[in-house]
Amino acid sequence: VASTAGGAATAAAAVPSAHGAGGAGPPAAATTTPVVTLPGSLGDPAEEPSAARGDDKDDANAGYVWEYKWEDDWHAFADDCQKFIDSRHRRYKEDSSKEFITVNTRGIQVTVNFQKMTTKKKGSPDIREVRRRHR
């Protein structure tokens, strides 16, 4: 996945250790707020600061966790991007042209493709499955 329909570059999935490139296993959960880079089809993050920070008042994703598949096992994305990914997934469900998001999680830039339910870490050739699982 090299670009979105609007031409914005896409990125990657989970942390190096989370994807098996140079690490021993999946990452531990992080507690920092994600730095968000959005493709043009998703608009300006300043339009929705609470969604970008992941502090939606209704906490719509409280019953779900986003996970990626690594070596036949499912691993949760870090806490710093769970609410953001879910808020953009809800947006995708309303407008399927917004199939890509790019987010920095734990200092690693990743892209999630909601149409294909895949993720890719910037600089890595590996594309991994993602899922939204009920907690």
Side-chain angles (χ1 to χ4, degrees):
V1 178
S3 66
T4 65
T10 61
V15 202
S17 62
H19 283 234
T31 57
T32 60
T33 302
V35 177
V36 180
T37 305
L38 299 172
S41 65
L42 292 177
D44 184 350
E47 295 173 4
E48 296 183 54
S50 67
R53 287 191 312 266
D55 61 358
D56 298 46
K57 290 182 182 171
D58 63 349
D59 204 11
N61 81 321
Y64 295 92
V65 62
W66 281 89
E67 299 174 320
Y68 60 92
K69 194 169 188 179
W70 177 59
E71 293 186 354
D72 298 324
D73 292 316
W74 291 96
H75 302 275
F77 280 94
D79 290 341
D80 69 347
C81 64
Q82 286 283 338
K83 289 180 183 179
F84 178 75
I85 293 171
D86 207 62
S87 71
R88 292 311 190 255
H89 182 256
R90 290 190 311 270
R91 206 187 253 192
Y92 165 72
K93 295 304 257 180
E94 295 170 6
D95 180 356
S96 63
S97 72
K98 300 173 182 180
E99 67 190 76
F100 294 99
I101 63 164
T102 303
V103 63
N104 285 340
T105 176
R106 298 181 43 168
I108 304 295
Q109 190 176 47
V110 301
T111 295
V112 177
N113 179 328
F114 294 125
Q115 180 182 29
K116 294 181 180 180
M117 291 300 282
T118 58
T119 185
K120 184 178 180 305
K121 182 178 66 169
K122 183 176 184 177
S124 170
D126 300 328
I127 297 173
R128 304 199 183 277
E129 293 177 62
V130 297
R131 71 180 181 186
R132 181 179 187 243
R133 181 181 57 82
H134 206 276
R135 293 185 194 256

